[in-house]
Amino acid sequence: MGNFKGHALPGSMFLMVGLWWAGKSSFWYAARRKKSAGLLTSRAAQRRLEVIEGVTILSFSVIGMLAEQFAADGPQLHLYDYAEHQWDHLMNWQHATMYLFFGLAGGVSVAVHTTGSAPLALDRMLLGVAFFTEGFLFLYHLHGRAMLDIHIHQLLLYAIFGGAATAFLEVFHRGNVLLELLRASFCLLQGSWFWQIAFVLYPPSGVAEWDLKDHSNMMFITTCYCWHFAFSLLTVTVVYCTACWVVHSKLKRTPSMEMGLLKTTDKEQESEDEI
Amino acid sequence: MGNFKGHALPGSMFLMVGLWWAGKSSFWYAARRKKSAGLLTSRAAQRRLEVIEGVTILSFSVIGMLAEQFAADGPQLHLYDYAEHQWDHLMNWQHATMYLFFGLAGGVSVAVHTTGSAPLALDRMLLGVAFFTEGFLFLYHLHGRAMLDIHIHQLLLYAIFGGAATAFLEVFHRGNVLLELLRASFCLLQGSWFWQIAFVLYPPSGVAEWDLKDHSNMMFITTCYCWHFAFSLLTVTVVYCTACWVVHSKLKRTPSMEMGLLKTTDKEQESEDEI
Amino acid sequence: MGNFKGHALPGSMFLMVGLWWAGKSSFWYAARRKKSAGLLTSRAAQRRLEVIEGVTILSFSVIGMLAEQFAADGPQLHLYDYAEHQWDHLMNWQHATMYLFFGLAGGVSVAVHTTGSAPLALDRMLLGVAFFTEGFLFLYHLHGRAMLDIHIHQLLLYAIFGGAATAFLEVFHRGNVLLELLRASFCLLQGSWFWQIAFVLYPPSGVAEWDLKDHSNMMFITTCYCWHFAFSLLTVTVVYCTACWVVHSKLKRTPSMEMGLLKTTDKEQESEDEI
Amino acid sequence: MGNFKGHALPGSMFLMVGLWWAGKSSFWYAARRKKSAGLLTSRAAQRRLEVIEGVTILSFSVIGMLAEQFAADGPQLHLYDYAEHQWDHLMNWQHATMYLFFGLAGGVSVAVHTTGSAPLALDRMLLGVAFFTEGFLFLYHLHGRAMLDIHIHQLLLYAIFGGAATAFLEVFHRGNVLLELLRASFCLLQGSWFWQIAFVLYPPSGVAEWDLKDHSNMMFITTCYCWHFAFSLLTVTVVYCTACWVVHSKLKRTPSMEMGLLKTTDKEQESEDEI
């Protein structure tokens, strides 16, 4: 899918997922701190939300896989072109493989949160595996391209492997809001960077094309990547502040009487051991 | 052992070990959760099983070492060929060295679980060392081969070092079922990839040979590696579900009276600290 | 800012920050151990100090950004030179980006310690991100320079990424005085190395210039880097001993009566589990 | 010190240190398990032993530094040869720098264990720093040598950085006997490998010289490195078993009456959480 749409589409998807994760984590963390545990923050509600998230990821992955296979220029499940003695649409197969792992992560997340017969951390481990596989395929994806093309995709790898590392760390530090927000930031970074790639490599008509061999372009792109990261951090901050404000203003309207019924043995999960 | 059999043999062994590990971990975890602790899940039974596993690994390693040395084309313990002033069958010596470390891991595991005079985590540390050494020898094993040959062996390194890293993590997080299943997945991946290497580099007669310098072959092999990983993850999932189902159906037949005798102070080992 | 001043300025800043961190951590740790908790070591006083530190970092970052943009040779917020069809003062934009992330870290630190509505560890995570971004930009900053120029900047990366790694570890091990002092050491190392770079690449007039292609110069610079590290470790040691001595001598003058009022449930944060 | 003695000397030193560490850790661990805590395993005795170890390391480092500087071919504290406009005996300065960091680690260890005014883990952190610096200097030490010379020194780096990583891990997992024994193994490996380097690069007269450009030599050396590792692991095992046996046989002679006086709340430090 070496075209504008092929980068803008995953970009939009990752942006939405990143926003969703930032919102979910912030809201739950704020609710937990304020102990305004209402309907939304109960364990059952959380579980239901996780299931919905898993189903959504699973459906989008299946749709993505089908689109890659049966779209106009897809391989339609043919792997080898016997007539021309070459592999058939390897790019599409690679993208379908990426979707496959995200689908696996989504499916397992649904299974974990509905049946409860597997350790909870499994959903994060498979999310980490999905991110890692995406990065792994991109890593061996860049042979023989122009310098800037390679560099701009390599920068993407930082966001992808950053997301994978964060998800793996969450296996051992589940519920740590900092890791969850960091993961959301990396996801947003990945999404906005896909858009940047689309604009750099396939500029809309009317805009001057980029010189893919100019070194100063490489230096600018590197700086630009940092701006995207700053932007994603700021977005997560804004989402977090909004969630805090919503929970806080909602709390005021809750009668204090109800508060006595809440358990106070809530163990705070983040490592907040100040001296 | 640059032939079909030389890759198919270790492949089969790693596949069996991976299946065994997946089954063992799944069954113990399921039994622990259901508290249906019967004969099989008692500490003594576990210890006996670990000893059997260790003895098996040790015996296969010794057989492997002897086979490498005394098979038809083996060096028969001669290290240096003084007639021709060159090293004698270095490949066989390298393979024997790999077996040596797995034998060490097996032997230490037996010692740890029979005498109990060493920390339990030692078996995992030496397993990690054995995997690391295997990867280390493969890393410096590939000088001057064709592009696809190098690439296909490098992919193998991901599975090997992944297994080593997981085993080392288990030293500090012993009993974490996720790590155990991940280790089983890496082991299955390694096994099935050995078979893939055998079919790619030494295709059975009647099948067209692979062009070892074609870049699209490299891209396909990379994608194919991900499919192997997905396959190994699915296999582990199937094994885990079977173990859960077996334990669950067995539990129903157990009279509930017995349950009261079980200790309830079972600390669950996995990091399942949901909020 | 490829000149003497451009390296001496950040060098001085990092030296001051390193000294400040070493002093702060040492003093708090010594006070905590001696339980001579007076006005300075109360939680409120600590919080106030953190806020002042955050405000200082934030202000210097804003000043730095403005200086990079509006100094004599700055881009004055112009990013692209349409006349000459090239990027405008990319170096200044890169340096401004570095300041941006330190400003972000400072701002977030202020927000965390004034409002208390975010997890405390957030300040260390963003400090880690700021160091990482600085190193990341330096990493892609060195294209086409002379051998010694590249090597001397690469050595700088060890100090920068060391600082980033230490800050990230502090997210999970907050209050560990060893990590705090290690971070201070890396910061001092970075500062003194910036001065070394200034003297090597832009020697003051009257001093012989360095041969940037001589290999023995490279070997000397590597050794010299280790001396800088030893020097920074010694500086931190001296600061630590001074802090201990100050706290100790102050404690003697405190009447012992007061001591009974201090809580004894102080959990010691460092991992001091000797056998 | 590019000669036989220059590699055999540090080799012998590391071998002795490795044996000492293996013995110390094994003995303490065995005594702790058997609860035969007599004079040797009391906290005061341990502290005294650590101080002696620190003083020994410090003295050897000072001697090493003086030897490097004032031996027949040493620089005698001259850093720059103004007559010939080149650096003076850079190799000796590098080796002296390595000794400097080990001396620092020894000195700090003494200070930590005598005054007790610094966190205990500091001794391991500086040990890790000393190993890391040694590896760091070797890393940039190999420019322009023959292939086998570079390879054989690169293999050494695995042992050095392995030791550094283990020491750093001990900062957070102090008293974990597995890490202590692993550190001892890496130290033994380093020592025996130094001897191997001496024999390969500077063979004693009468022995055929090695062809430094032959690839099969490289393959053999890699395999040989694994044998050294297996040998060091076996040595540590033998030392550990001896220590266990000594403690066990000593325990039998202790009257059982005394045992009741021992505290049973001894927390075992290793992560031995079997299910």
Side-chain angles (χ1 to χ4, degrees):
Chain A
M1 308 221 287
N3 54 29
F4 188 89
K5 227 185 62 188
H7 286 90
L9 204 76
S12 311
M13 270 158 62
F14 279 115
L15 277 175
M16 280 188 301
V17 171
L19 277 176
W20 163 249
W21 280 346
K24 190 182 70 172
S25 305
S26 305
F27 189 79
W28 281 352
Y29 178 73
R32 216 159 68 224
R33 273 178 75 103
K34 291 284 178 192
K35 298 196 174 50
S36 72
L39 198 76
L40 269 159
T41 55
S42 74
R43 190 176 270 244
Q46 282 189 13
R47 202 154 272 212
R48 218 170 305 136
L49 216 59
E50 295 280 12
V51 170
I52 294 170
E53 188 186 311
V55 169
T56 314
I57 291 176
L58 182 58
S59 344
F60 272 94
S61 304
V62 171
I63 292 169
M65 272 189 280
L66 294 177
E68 289 285 344
Q69 289 290 338
F70 300 106
D73 60 342
Q76 284 153 357
L77 295 180
H78 294 289
L79 183 56
Y80 196 75
D81 187 343
Y82 288 97
E84 303 203 20
H85 287 289
Q86 64 181 23
W87 301 102
D88 209 12
H89 295 92
L90 265 185
M91 283 288 179
N92 293 59
W93 279 100
Q94 285 208 342
H95 295 136
T97 306
M98 292 181 192
Y99 282 119
L100 173 67
F101 276 87
F102 280 104
L104 241 154
V108 164
S109 179
V110 170
V112 165
H113 290 287
T114 48
T115 69
S117 66
L120 277 172
L122 189 60
D123 59 346
R124 297 299 151 83
M125 201 172 82
L126 277 170
L127 193 66
V129 166
F131 273 125
F132 179 82
T133 315
E134 190 199 347
F136 176 78
L137 283 171
F138 266 114
L139 195 66
Y140 291 105
H141 202 234
L142 304 170
H143 186 87
R145 300 198 185 180
M147 189 179 72
L148 188 65
D149 194 345
I150 291 177
H151 183 61
I152 209 171
H153 277 96
Q154 272 175 348
L155 291 178
L156 190 63
L157 290 180
Y158 283 89
I160 297 175
F161 284 127
T166 316
F168 275 123
L169 270 178
E170 278 185 80
V171 172
F172 301 101
H173 297 272
R174 195 184 176 81
N176 186 323
V177 71
L178 287 179
L179 286 178
E180 287 174 349
L181 294 180
L182 190 62
R183 178 161 47 90
S185 307
F186 280 127
C187 197
L188 282 172
L189 172 59
Q190 200 187 146
S192 69
W193 195 245
F194 262 118
W195 274 96
Q196 181 75 40
I197 294 178
F199 275 106
V200 168
L201 297 186
Y202 315 100
S205 57
V207 178
E209 295 215 353
W210 289 58
D211 180 355
L212 296 185
K213 283 169 191 164
D214 183 16
H215 182 66
S216 71
N217 275 342
M218 270 187 69
M219 273 188 63
F220 169 71
I221 282 295
T222 311
T223 319
C224 187
Y225 187 70
C226 292
W227 299 345
H228 278 258
F229 192 25
F231 162 80
S232 80
L233 287 175
L234 282 175
T235 311
V236 169
T237 309
V238 169
V239 170
Y240 179 80
C241 292
T242 313
C244 281
W245 178 80
V246 167
V247 169
H248 192 74
S249 58
K250 197 186 150 193
L251 184 70
K252 277 185 183 157
R253 278 174 281 133
T254 316
S256 63
M257 190 192 74
E258 245 176 67
M259 296 303 290
L261 304 171
L262 294 168
K263 290 166 193 156
T264 52
T265 51
D266 247 24
K267 256 191 8 211
E268 301 230 15
Q269 297 297 331
E270 19 107 37
S271 53
E272 216 194 82
D273 32 40
E274 211 197 17
I275 305 104
Chain B
M1 306 220 288
N3 54 29
F4 188 88
K5 226 185 62 189
H7 286 91
L9 203 76
S12 310
M13 270 158 62
F14 280 115
L15 278 176
M16 280 188 301
V17 172
L19 277 176
W20 163 248
W21 281 346
K24 189 182 72 172
S25 306
S26 304
F27 189 79
W28 282 351
Y29 177 74
R32 217 158 68 224
R33 274 178 76 104
K34 292 281 178 192
K35 297 197 176 50
S36 72
L39 198 77
L40 268 158
T41 54
S42 73
R43 190 177 272 245
Q46 281 190 14
R47 201 155 272 210
R48 217 169 307 135
L49 217 59
E50 295 279 13
V51 170
I52 294 169
E53 187 186 312
V55 168
T56 316
I57 291 176
L58 182 58
S59 344
F60 272 95
S61 303
V62 171
I63 293 169
M65 272 190 281
L66 295 176
E68 290 285 345
Q69 288 290 338
F70 299 106
D73 61 342
Q76 284 153 358
L77 295 179
H78 294 288
L79 183 56
Y80 195 75
D81 186 344
Y82 288 97
E84 302 202 22
H85 288 290
Q86 64 182 22
W87 300 102
D88 209 11
H89 295 92
L90 266 185
M91 282 289 178
N92 294 60
W93 279 100
Q94 285 208 343
H95 295 136
T97 306
M98 292 181 192
Y99 283 119
L100 173 67
F101 276 87
F102 280 103
L104 241 155
V108 164
S109 179
V110 170
V112 164
H113 290 287
T114 47
T115 69
S117 66
L120 278 173
L122 188 61
D123 59 347
R124 298 299 150 83
M125 200 172 83
L126 277 169
L127 193 66
V129 166
F131 273 125
F132 179 81
T133 314
E134 191 200 348
F136 176 78
L137 282 171
F138 266 115
L139 194 67
Y140 292 104
H141 203 232
L142 304 170
H143 186 87
R145 299 200 186 179
M147 190 178 72
L148 187 65
D149 194 346
I150 291 178
H151 183 62
I152 210 171
H153 277 96
Q154 272 175 350
L155 291 177
L156 190 64
L157 290 179
Y158 282 88
I160 298 175
F161 285 127
T166 316
F168 275 124
L169 270 178
E170 278 186 81
V171 172
F172 300 102
H173 297 272
R174 194 185 178 80
N176 186 323
V177 72
L178 288 179
L179 286 177
E180 287 174 350
L181 294 181
L182 190 62
R183 177 160 49 89
S185 307
F186 280 127
C187 197
L188 283 173
L189 172 59
Q190 201 187 145
S192 68
W193 196 246
F194 262 117
W195 274 96
Q196 182 74 42
I197 294 179
F199 276 106
V200 168
L201 297 186
Y202 315 100
S205 57
V207 177
E209 297 217 352
W210 290 58
D211 181 354
L212 297 184
K213 283 169 190 165
D214 183 14
H215 182 66
S216 73
N217 275 342
M218 270 187 70
M219 272 187 65
F220 169 71
I221 281 295
T222 312
T223 318
C224 187
Y225 187 71
C226 292
W227 299 344
H228 277 259
F229 192 26
F231 161 81
S232 80
L233 288 175
L234 282 174
T235 310
V236 170
T237 309
V238 168
V239 170
Y240 179 80
C241 291
T242 313
C244 281
W245 178 79
V246 166
V247 169
H248 192 74
S249 58
K250 196 186 151 194
L251 184 69
K252 275 183 184 158
R253 280 173 281 135
T254 317
S256 62
M257 191 192 73
E258 245 177 66
M259 296 303 291
L261 303 171
L262 294 168
K263 289 165 194 158
T264 52
T265 50
D266 247 25
K267 255 191 8 210
E268 301 229 16
Q269 297 298 332
E270 20 107 37
S271 53
E272 216 194 80
D273 33 39
E274 210 197 17
I275 306 106
Chain C
M1 306 223 287
N3 54 30
F4 188 88
K5 226 185 63 189
H7 285 91
L9 203 76
S12 311
M13 269 158 62
F14 279 115
L15 278 176
M16 280 188 301
V17 172
L19 277 176
W20 163 247
W21 280 345
K24 191 181 71 173
S25 305
S26 304
F27 188 80
W28 281 352
Y29 177 73
R32 217 159 67 225
R33 274 178 75 103
K34 292 282 179 192
K35 297 200 174 49
S36 72
L39 197 77
L40 269 159
T41 54
S42 72
R43 190 176 271 244
Q46 282 189 13
R47 201 154 274 211
R48 218 171 305 134
L49 217 58
E50 294 280 12
V51 170
I52 294 170
E53 188 187 312
V55 169
T56 315
I57 291 176
L58 182 58
S59 342
F60 272 93
S61 304
V62 171
I63 293 170
M65 272 190 281
L66 294 177
E68 288 287 344
Q69 289 291 338
F70 300 106
D73 61 343
Q76 284 154 357
L77 296 180
H78 294 288
L79 182 57
Y80 196 74
D81 187 343
Y82 287 98
E84 302 202 22
H85 288 289
Q86 65 181 22
W87 300 102
D88 209 10
H89 295 92
L90 266 185
M91 282 289 180
N92 294 61
W93 279 100
Q94 285 208 343
H95 295 136
T97 306
M98 292 180 192
Y99 283 119
L100 173 67
F101 276 86
F102 280 103
L104 242 154
V108 164
S109 179
V110 171
V112 164
H113 290 287
T114 48
T115 69
S117 65
L120 277 173
L122 188 60
D123 59 347
R124 298 297 151 84
M125 200 171 83
L126 277 169
L127 194 66
V129 166
F131 273 124
F132 179 80
T133 315
E134 191 199 347
F136 176 78
L137 283 172
F138 266 113
L139 195 67
Y140 291 104
H141 202 235
L142 303 171
H143 186 86
R145 300 198 186 180
M147 190 178 71
L148 188 66
D149 194 346
I150 291 178
H151 183 61
I152 209 171
H153 277 96
Q154 272 175 348
L155 291 178
L156 190 62
L157 290 179
Y158 282 88
I160 297 175
F161 284 128
T166 316
F168 274 124
L169 269 178
E170 278 186 81
V171 172
F172 300 102
H173 297 271
R174 195 185 178 80
N176 186 324
V177 71
L178 288 179
L179 286 177
E180 287 175 349
L181 294 181
L182 191 62
R183 177 160 48 89
S185 307
F186 281 127
C187 198
L188 283 172
L189 172 59
Q190 199 187 147
S192 69
W193 196 246
F194 262 118
W195 274 95
Q196 182 76 38
I197 294 179
F199 276 105
V200 168
L201 297 186
Y202 316 99
S205 55
V207 176
E209 296 217 352
W210 289 58
D211 180 355
L212 296 186
K213 282 168 192 164
D214 183 16
H215 182 65
S216 71
N217 275 341
M218 268 187 71
M219 273 188 63
F220 169 71
I221 282 295
T222 312
T223 318
C224 186
Y225 187 70
C226 292
W227 299 344
H228 278 259
F229 192 27
F231 161 81
S232 81
L233 287 175
L234 283 175
T235 311
V236 170
T237 309
V238 168
V239 169
Y240 179 79
C241 291
T242 314
C244 282
W245 177 80
V246 166
V247 169
H248 192 74
S249 58
K250 197 186 150 193
L251 184 69
K252 276 184 183 158
R253 279 174 281 134
T254 317
S256 64
M257 190 192 76
E258 246 176 65
M259 295 305 291
L261 304 171
L262 293 169
K263 289 163 194 158
T264 52
T265 50
D266 248 22
K267 258 196 357 216
E268 301 229 16
Q269 297 298 329
E270 19 107 36
S271 53
E272 217 194 79
D273 32 38
E274 210 198 18
I275 306 105
Chain D
M1 308 221 287
N3 54 30
F4 188 88
K5 224 185 65 188
H7 286 91
L9 203 77
S12 310
M13 270 158 61
F14 279 115
L15 277 176
M16 280 188 301
V17 172
L19 277 176
W20 162 248
W21 280 346
K24 190 182 70 172
S25 305
S26 304
F27 189 79
W28 282 352
Y29 177 73
R32 217 159 67 224
R33 274 178 75 103
K34 292 281 178 192
K35 296 198 176 52
S36 72
L39 198 77
L40 268 159
T41 54
S42 73
R43 190 176 271 244
Q46 282 189 13
R47 200 155 275 210
R48 219 170 306 135
L49 216 58
E50 295 279 12
V51 170
I52 294 169
E53 187 187 314
V55 169
T56 315
I57 291 176
L58 182 58
S59 344
F60 273 94
S61 304
V62 171
I63 293 169
M65 272 190 281
L66 295 177
E68 289 286 345
Q69 289 290 337
F70 299 106
D73 60 343
Q76 283 153 358
L77 295 180
H78 293 288
L79 183 56
Y80 195 75
D81 186 343
Y82 287 98
E84 302 202 22
H85 288 289
Q86 64 181 24
W87 301 103
D88 208 10
H89 295 91
L90 265 185
M91 282 288 178
N92 293 60
W93 279 100
Q94 285 208 343
H95 294 137
T97 306
M98 292 181 191
Y99 283 119
L100 173 67
F101 276 87
F102 280 103
L104 242 154
V108 164
S109 179
V110 171
V112 164
H113 290 287
T114 47
T115 69
S117 65
L120 278 173
L122 188 60
D123 58 347
R124 299 298 152 82
M125 199 170 85
L126 277 169
L127 193 66
V129 166
F131 274 124
F132 179 81
T133 315
E134 191 200 347
F136 176 78
L137 282 171
F138 267 114
L139 194 67
Y140 291 104
H141 203 234
L142 304 171
H143 186 86
R145 300 197 185 181
M147 191 179 71
L148 187 66
D149 194 346
I150 291 178
H151 183 61
I152 209 170
H153 278 95
Q154 272 174 349
L155 291 178
L156 190 64
L157 291 179
Y158 283 87
I160 298 175
F161 285 127
T166 315
F168 275 124
L169 269 177
E170 278 185 81
V171 172
F172 300 102
H173 297 273
R174 194 186 178 79
N176 186 324
V177 72
L178 288 179
L179 286 177
E180 287 174 350
L181 294 181
L182 190 62
R183 177 160 49 89
S185 307
F186 281 127
C187 198
L188 283 173
L189 172 60
Q190 200 187 146
S192 68
W193 196 246
F194 262 117
W195 274 96
Q196 182 75 39
I197 294 179
F199 276 105
V200 169
L201 297 186
Y202 315 99
S205 57
V207 176
E209 296 218 351
W210 290 58
D211 180 355
L212 297 184
K213 282 168 190 163
D214 183 15
H215 183 65
S216 72
N217 276 342
M218 269 187 70
M219 272 188 64
F220 169 70
I221 281 295
T222 312
T223 319
C224 187
Y225 187 70
C226 293
W227 299 343
H228 278 259
F229 193 27
F231 162 80
S232 80
L233 287 175
L234 282 175
T235 311
V236 170
T237 309
V238 169
V239 170
Y240 179 81
C241 292
T242 313
C244 282
W245 178 78
V246 167
V247 169
H248 192 73
S249 58
K250 197 186 150 194
L251 184 69
K252 277 182 183 158
R253 279 173 280 135
T254 317
S256 64
M257 189 193 75
E258 245 178 64
M259 296 304 291
L261 303 171
L262 294 168
K263 289 162 193 159
T264 52
T265 51
D266 247 24
K267 258 199 353 220
E268 301 229 15
Q269 297 298 332
E270 20 106 36
S271 52
E272 216 193 78
D273 32 40
E274 210 197 17
I275 304 106

